[in-house]
Amino acid sequence: MAARLGGAIFVLWAVASITFFAVRLIPGDPAQAVLGGPGSQASPEALAAVRTEYGFDKPVLVQYLAQLGRLATGDLGRSYALNQDVGPLVLDQLGGTVLLAVLALALAWLLALALAAWSTRGGTVAARVGSGLEIVAAALPHFWLATSLIVVFSIWLGVLPPISTVGAAGLVLPVLTLAIPLAGFLGQILRESLLAALESPFVLSARARGESERGVLWTHALRHASLPAISLSGWAFGSLISGAVVVETIFARPGLGRTLLTAVTLRDVPVVIGVVMIVAVAYILMTLLTDAATRLVDPRLRSE
Amino acid sequence: MTMTEPAAALTVHNLRVGFGADPVVRGVSFEIARGECLAIVGESGSGKSVTARSLLGLAGANARVGADQLELGGQTVLGLTDRAWRARRGKDVGLVLQDALVSLDPLRPIGREIADSLRLHTTLGAAARARRVLELLDAVGLPEPATQVQKLSGQLSGGERQRALIAAAIALDPPLLIADEPTTALDVTVQAQILALLEHITRAGTAVLLISHDLAVVSRIAHRVAVMHDGRMIETGRTEQVLGAPRHEQTQRMVAAIPADKPRGTRLSLSTRPRDAASPVSADSTVLANSTVLDDSTVSAASTVVLEAIGLSKSYRRPDGSRHLAVDDVSFALQRGSTLGIVGESGSGKTTTARLLLALLPPDRGAVRVFGEPWSAASEKTRRGLRPGVGAIYQDALGSFDPRWNVAEILTDALGLSPGLRQRRRAPQTTARLLTLLDEVGLAAAVLTRRPLELSGGQRQRVGIARALAGRPEILICDEPVSSLDVSVQAQVLDLLDDLQRERGLSLIFISHDLGVVQHVSDEIAVMRAGRVVESGPAARVFAAPQHPYSVQLLAAVPRLPA
Amino acid sequence: MSDLEVQAELATQAARSGQPRRLGLAEATAGLLAVFLLVAAVTPQLLALGDPLGIDPLSAFMPPTGAHVFGTDESGRDIFTRVVHGTQYSLVIGAAATAIGLGLGIVLGTLAGMLGRVVDFTVNRFLEVLFAFPGLLLALLFIVIFGPGVATATIAVGLSTAPGYARIIRAQLITVRSAAFVEAATVLGRTRWQILLRHILPNTLAPLLVLATLGIGQAIVWAATLSYLGLGAEPPTAEWGAMLSAGRTYITSAWWMSFFPGLFIVLTAVTATVLGRSIDRRMRHA
């Protein structure tokens, strides 16, 4: 556990350092960026004031240490564009994205499980159809899926809002957009490992004891089959974050993803760093959770 | 007709099983009485496992099963619905598979697995089931059942978990128990214990159907033996009768192939092309010139040590940081032209010893000397010059070949020529040398263009031997060379090695877990246990009068044919 | 894990369970699509005569008809022509990004796999850190620094795929290096260099073809995503992502402006997946 914590702190430090030094690579005067970019004709006095305020006049090493110090105390700096503290800003947006991601992950698991269970029991034709559906689902880009869903459900059928404001109905399309491609990936992994599990000797033993196919599936096979899919969760999280950037933008939904994209477009460096740091923390938490889930399902890992 | 219990626990008449268009079982008939043990023996692909699974209605979703008669305990099971089958499986017939590590669900405690049969077929409550599980574990001889029920199959030893698997199969005391290769993955001493347990179950009145590839193993407990070949039952009879006077040619071949108790030099395969040991081999006159064709009497007279292990030790670091002594102060010497057999169970350090002998690992202490020269202590650069003199044959022949190469490329490379040359650009004399090599190991020229993946297990091992011979070695180090082969193929490969040894005057280190094989091939023998050589000496002496208690135990457990 | 590692893992699974030689319907279709896409990329005039940028305001917003099978956009440009001509952009961007990712991946993976434990440890920690920028995050960070545009988007996608390639290559190297056939070559008296050139490198590099095929599909989707978000190619360039981005404004009235370019992205990605798996299976069973 101590090693894990150490590893987590190391990764956070490295992420902070990489972002800090990467940002130094931006050509031009950061003070200019604070005052609205090269287009704005800021006075030399204003620039000098900003330099002092943000510490741009100090040596790089001092700035670096100051930055680390601020991060350690949870201070993520001030947005250039919004003139607002990044910490509260980012935390405000976190909830919406987490809700979206959790719902999408749950739906993806449900879809994948249903498809995998159906296609392993339905013979070769079902397996092929299932596999084909999954490959196509996994290849769907979020932005196209989102637009297509809007066209069908909002414009043609008019049953769901194209804009995700408050309310459950607004969540349906964003969640579907994120869940369907993910279900494609999870489904493929689940189905293949389910097939492997169903052909393993312990399943033959269980059948020879008189276990029903449903019993075989629920007491034995699904548990084995879920292990490889669980280990994908860290990756799934990353894919959901990328997806959130697109989905929140398209559905005009407040969240980390949209905040990040706006900040990238405006080159609002502190906000970008803030989001990146939050995502890194979330990613680390996700890997720890994945580990815990794996141990829960696989008692072989617990004894050691 | 009487109303008493029917004599036959199982009656099978003209059972046929096919997958797609391929018939796998082509009309098999037999019956087993209660308290009887019938063994079905056959090589891989003979249809024995499919037969066993059909008796549980588990031949597979795409299998077509038909029979004139198929009765379990006097009641027909032909055309049963899935639900009706489920009610019978576990209750009327139990199944034990090979290797309980994967035949019991590795994610569930063994107690739960055993209790499943009770949960499915009885109305017992959880507490009653738990009590019954403990009784069952006790009955199969698992020590301390109360602590073991919570364990996963991976936390038990091979023998312990096989006992647990048997306990799960006999939980409802089914009148018929089918055991498909129940001892195949086990060490020989554990195998003997499991066989004794199955024998005990038979005595208690259960009908036991034992499926195995190994005639010698089943001869220990089977009352009757049925031999399967190519989907048919070619011979059935009392065990002594089938093994003592086999009638069918395939049975004769299988009986002849059993190496245990066959003196060194006896042919095991009834091969159609027995090689003339005295005929000189064209391409290898140089080797023959300085070693001559040796018979057994000259070996001892002219013996010199060609390879020597002196106080070898090697330890590994375990994941938890502690060190595990895999090889502990091992010494032996290999005499020119003779075979030194190294035998041991899993974890005895055999394979580490092989890697030390091949200088793939440096020893922690001690040394290996080859032809009187330093070998383990030499630099790889110096050793490289001597490497052609020391050949190696591996258990996993397939893995030892580069998957991108075909046989011609593998052997061209082994001859020290550039393997990149495709067939068209290969020099005629190279092709001639390749063909000579293939001929020596009994392979046809057609295999040259094949990749190892496309060859049978026996062919792969022959290519492996040809590769080892290409450098004209004097020493061959064979690490479990026949362990993954069928018995009749094993016999051919052992005969081939024997022929090559005579023709070329080779000195062999023969490492195996199989005492029968080692007994047949070895002049000298070293018995290893937990990294140490516990006993060594002339094979005849060790087998006739073992000194160390472990050797005594090991030898008692060797499956051999009834005298 | 990265997208690529997941794709590679899925391909391995499919290869293990799939039938070795039979040419399936999916593979045949994917093969034909690949030929179509390659022709569209090399000589788009062969498939669509018109000018992808040619304006015809009179026929703006035409739904799909016989004359304009995919319809027209707000300036009356023929969408089919634009989609066909856009193939070149997408494939070149995808190939370039894959080349960058694969190149970096080979360097990092080889360093880690060949140069001993210290380098391996260092590279591994470095990769671990990069994985904490999941998905498109690394690409977005890169774009913040170097500004949007086709070139930066391409490099950004390449960079963000590199850690995945590196990890796969490292794992493959380590597997091959400890393979039984490498030991067998040592026993035959081969030198380290001979073993490296004859066994380790060819067996490590062989799966790269599969990786690259799977990777191009992924890179095309990511690059199109960046264009869609306005960080890569810009309208009216006939790049698929940019076309979708332009179509977004007219989503309520002209669905075909978004639908068809996106369909081609999906088809390309599916083609890459199916072909990659097919090559993988064939190489394993060859």
Side-chain angles (χ1 to χ4, degrees), chain A residues 12-27:
Chain A
L12 282 179
W13 164 78
V15 167
S17 306
I18 288 178
T19 42
F20 176 83
F21 287 107
V23 164
R24 303 292 117 186
L25 294 173
I26 297 179

PDB file of all heavy atoms in Angstrom, chain A residues 12-27:
ATOM      1  N   LEU A  12       1.847  11.957  -9.894  1.00  0.00           N
ATOM      2  CA  LEU A  12       1.303  13.320  -9.813  1.00  0.00           C
ATOM      3  C   LEU A  12       2.407  14.364  -9.967  1.00  0.00           C
ATOM      4  O   LEU A  12       2.258  15.345 -10.692  1.00  0.00           O
ATOM      5  CB  LEU A  12       0.586  13.510  -8.476  1.00  0.00           C
ATOM      6  CG  LEU A  12      -0.799  12.884  -8.415  1.00  0.00           C
ATOM      7  CD1 LEU A  12      -1.403  13.109  -7.043  1.00  0.00           C
ATOM      8  CD2 LEU A  12      -1.694  13.486  -9.491  1.00  0.00           C
ATOM      9  N   TRP A  13       3.534  14.117  -9.283  1.00  0.00           N
ATOM     10  CA  TRP A  13       4.650  15.048  -9.382  1.00  0.00           C
ATOM     11  C   TRP A  13       5.119  15.150 -10.830  1.00  0.00           C
ATOM     12  O   TRP A  13       5.351  16.223 -11.367  1.00  0.00           O
ATOM     13  CB  TRP A  13       5.805  14.583  -8.475  1.00  0.00           C
ATOM     14  CG  TRP A  13       7.091  15.261  -8.806  1.00  0.00           C
ATOM     15  CD1 TRP A  13       7.465  16.528  -8.465  1.00  0.00           C
ATOM     16  CD2 TRP A  13       8.170  14.720  -9.580  1.00  0.00           C
ATOM     17  NE1 TRP A  13       8.702  16.816  -8.971  1.00  0.00           N
ATOM     18  CE2 TRP A  13       9.157  15.716  -9.665  1.00  0.00           C
ATOM     19  CE3 TRP A  13       8.381  13.485 -10.206  1.00  0.00           C
ATOM     20  CZ2 TRP A  13      10.353  15.520 -10.352  1.00  0.00           C
ATOM     21  CZ3 TRP A  13       9.569  13.285 -10.881  1.00  0.00           C
ATOM     22  CH2 TRP A  13      10.542  14.289 -10.955  1.00  0.00           C
ATOM     23  N   ALA A  14       5.236  13.964 -11.489  1.00  0.00           N
ATOM     24  CA  ALA A  14       5.728  13.948 -12.859  1.00  0.00           C
ATOM     25  C   ALA A  14       4.752  14.659 -13.790  1.00  0.00           C
ATOM     26  O   ALA A  14       5.166  15.428 -14.669  1.00  0.00           O
ATOM     27  CB  ALA A  14       5.951  12.517 -13.323  1.00  0.00           C
ATOM     28  N   VAL A  15       3.459  14.437 -13.579  1.00  0.00           N
ATOM     29  CA  VAL A  15       2.463  15.097 -14.418  1.00  0.00           C
ATOM     30  C   VAL A  15       2.572  16.614 -14.241  1.00  0.00           C
ATOM     31  O   VAL A  15       2.588  17.373 -15.213  1.00  0.00           O
ATOM     32  CB  VAL A  15       1.041  14.608 -14.058  1.00  0.00           C
ATOM     33  CG1 VAL A  15      -0.013  15.502 -14.690  1.00  0.00           C
ATOM     34  CG2 VAL A  15       0.840  13.171 -14.526  1.00  0.00           C
ATOM     35  N   ALA A  16       2.696  17.049 -12.979  1.00  0.00           N
ATOM     36  CA  ALA A  16       2.812  18.483 -12.712  1.00  0.00           C
ATOM     37  C   ALA A  16       4.057  19.046 -13.376  1.00  0.00           C
ATOM     38  O   ALA A  16       4.025  20.121 -13.995  1.00  0.00           O
ATOM     39  CB  ALA A  16       2.857  18.720 -11.204  1.00  0.00           C
ATOM     40  N   SER A  17       5.178  18.329 -13.277  1.00  0.00           N
ATOM     41  CA  SER A  17       6.427  18.822 -13.840  1.00  0.00           C
ATOM     42  C   SER A  17       6.350  18.885 -15.355  1.00  0.00           C
ATOM     43  O   SER A  17       6.768  19.871 -15.974  1.00  0.00           O
ATOM     44  CB  SER A  17       7.592  17.923 -13.438  1.00  0.00           C
ATOM     45  OG  SER A  17       7.616  17.780 -12.046  1.00  0.00           O
ATOM     46  N   ILE A  18       5.822  17.804 -15.956  1.00  0.00           N
ATOM     47  CA  ILE A  18       5.745  17.788 -17.419  1.00  0.00           C
ATOM     48  C   ILE A  18       4.888  18.948 -17.905  1.00  0.00           C
ATOM     49  O   ILE A  18       5.278  19.687 -18.809  1.00  0.00           O
ATOM     50  CB  ILE A  18       5.169  16.443 -17.917  1.00  0.00           C
ATOM     51  CG1 ILE A  18       6.198  15.333 -17.718  1.00  0.00           C
ATOM     52  CG2 ILE A  18       4.785  16.537 -19.391  1.00  0.00           C
ATOM     53  CD1 ILE A  18       5.698  13.977 -18.133  1.00  0.00           C
ATOM     54  N   THR A  19       3.728  19.149 -17.262  1.00  0.00           N
ATOM     55  CA  THR A  19       2.872  20.237 -17.724  1.00  0.00           C
ATOM     56  C   THR A  19       3.568  21.585 -17.514  1.00  0.00           C
ATOM     57  O   THR A  19       3.536  22.437 -18.391  1.00  0.00           O
ATOM     58  CB  THR A  19       1.517  20.239 -16.993  1.00  0.00           C
ATOM     59  OG1 THR A  19       1.756  19.973 -15.617  1.00  0.00           O
ATOM     60  CG2 THR A  19       0.601  19.178 -17.537  1.00  0.00           C
ATOM     61  N   PHE A  20       4.231  21.745 -16.360  1.00  0.00           N
ATOM     62  CA  PHE A  20       4.890  23.019 -16.094  1.00  0.00           C
ATOM     63  C   PHE A  20       5.911  23.346 -17.174  1.00  0.00           C
ATOM     64  O   PHE A  20       5.904  24.417 -17.776  1.00  0.00           O
ATOM     65  CB  PHE A  20       5.570  23.003 -14.725  1.00  0.00           C
ATOM     66  CG  PHE A  20       6.340  24.263 -14.433  1.00  0.00           C
ATOM     67  CD1 PHE A  20       5.694  25.388 -13.937  1.00  0.00           C
ATOM     68  CD2 PHE A  20       7.704  24.337 -14.682  1.00  0.00           C
ATOM     69  CE1 PHE A  20       6.399  26.551 -13.683  1.00  0.00           C
ATOM     70  CE2 PHE A  20       8.405  25.493 -14.434  1.00  0.00           C
ATOM     71  CZ  PHE A  20       7.757  26.605 -13.928  1.00  0.00           C
ATOM     72  N   PHE A  21       6.795  22.368 -17.453  1.00  0.00           N
ATOM     73  CA  PHE A  21       7.863  22.660 -18.413  1.00  0.00           C
ATOM     74  C   PHE A  21       7.334  22.686 -19.842  1.00  0.00           C
ATOM     75  O   PHE A  21       7.851  23.427 -20.684  1.00  0.00           O
ATOM     76  CB  PHE A  21       9.012  21.668 -18.257  1.00  0.00           C
ATOM     77  CG  PHE A  21       9.808  21.935 -17.018  1.00  0.00           C
ATOM     78  CD1 PHE A  21       9.714  21.110 -15.910  1.00  0.00           C
ATOM     79  CD2 PHE A  21      10.635  23.050 -16.947  1.00  0.00           C
ATOM     80  CE1 PHE A  21      10.426  21.383 -14.751  1.00  0.00           C
ATOM     81  CE2 PHE A  21      11.357  23.331 -15.792  1.00  0.00           C
ATOM     82  CZ  PHE A  21      11.244  22.489 -14.693  1.00  0.00           C
ATOM     83  N   ALA A  22       6.296  21.903 -20.111  1.00  0.00           N
ATOM     84  CA  ALA A  22       5.718  21.918 -21.454  1.00  0.00           C
ATOM     85  C   ALA A  22       5.150  23.307 -21.759  1.00  0.00           C
ATOM     86  O   ALA A  22       5.325  23.841 -22.861  1.00  0.00           O
ATOM     87  CB  ALA A  22       4.627  20.864 -21.576  1.00  0.00           C
ATOM     88  N   VAL A  23       4.532  23.895 -20.741  1.00  0.00           N
ATOM     89  CA  VAL A  23       3.928  25.205 -20.949  1.00  0.00           C
ATOM     90  C   VAL A  23       4.981  26.272 -21.247  1.00  0.00           C
ATOM     91  O   VAL A  23       4.751  27.220 -21.982  1.00  0.00           O
ATOM     92  CB  VAL A  23       3.074  25.574 -19.717  1.00  0.00           C
ATOM     93  CG1 VAL A  23       2.743  27.044 -19.705  1.00  0.00           C
ATOM     94  CG2 VAL A  23       1.809  24.743 -19.693  1.00  0.00           C
ATOM     95  N   ARG A  24       6.218  26.055 -20.697  1.00  0.00           N
ATOM     96  CA  ARG A  24       7.311  26.995 -21.009  1.00  0.00           C
ATOM     97  C   ARG A  24       7.635  27.003 -22.491  1.00  0.00           C
ATOM     98  O   ARG A  24       8.278  27.902 -22.982  1.00  0.00           O
ATOM     99  CB  ARG A  24       8.614  26.635 -20.268  1.00  0.00           C
ATOM    100  CG  ARG A  24       8.561  26.559 -18.762  1.00  0.00           C
ATOM    101  CD  ARG A  24       8.337  27.888 -18.158  1.00  0.00           C
ATOM    102  NE  ARG A  24       7.049  27.802 -17.462  1.00  0.00           N
ATOM    103  CZ  ARG A  24       6.432  28.809 -16.880  1.00  0.00           C
ATOM    104  NH1 ARG A  24       6.970  30.004 -16.901  1.00  0.00           N
ATOM    105  NH2 ARG A  24       5.292  28.638 -16.296  1.00  0.00           N
ATOM    106  N   LEU A  25       7.253  25.917 -23.184  1.00  0.00           N
ATOM    107  CA  LEU A  25       7.581  25.819 -24.604  1.00  0.00           C
ATOM    108  C   LEU A  25       6.692  26.724 -25.452  1.00  0.00           C
ATOM    109  O   LEU A  25       6.969  26.953 -26.620  1.00  0.00           O
ATOM    110  CB  LEU A  25       7.419  24.374 -25.089  1.00  0.00           C
ATOM    111  CG  LEU A  25       8.377  23.353 -24.496  1.00  0.00           C
ATOM    112  CD1 LEU A  25       7.980  21.963 -24.935  1.00  0.00           C
ATOM    113  CD2 LEU A  25       9.797  23.668 -24.932  1.00  0.00           C
ATOM    114  N   ILE A  26       5.614  27.232 -24.855  1.00  0.00           N
ATOM    115  CA  ILE A  26       4.717  28.095 -25.625  1.00  0.00           C
ATOM    116  C   ILE A  26       5.469  29.353 -26.033  1.00  0.00           C
ATOM    117  O   ILE A  26       6.030  30.037 -25.178  1.00  0.00           O
ATOM    118  CB  ILE A  26       3.480  28.482 -24.797  1.00  0.00           C
ATOM    119  CG1 ILE A  26       2.698  27.220 -24.458  1.00  0.00           C
ATOM    120  CG2 ILE A  26       2.606  29.480 -25.541  1.00  0.00           C
ATOM    121  CD1 ILE A  26       1.471  27.488 -23.616  1.00  0.00           C
ATOM    122  N   PRO A  27       5.493  29.598 -27.349  1.00  0.00           N
ATOM    123  CA  PRO A  27       6.210  30.802 -27.788  1.00  0.00           C
ATOM    124  C   PRO A  27       5.459  32.053 -27.322  1.00  0.00           C
ATOM    125  O   PRO A  27       4.250  32.026 -27.114  1.00  0.00           O
ATOM    126  CB  PRO A  27       6.201  30.679 -29.316  1.00  0.00           C
ATOM    127  CG  PRO A  27       5.094  29.734 -29.638  1.00  0.00           C
ATOM    128  CD  PRO A  27       4.914  28.849 -28.455  1.00  0.00           C
TER     129      PRO A  27
END
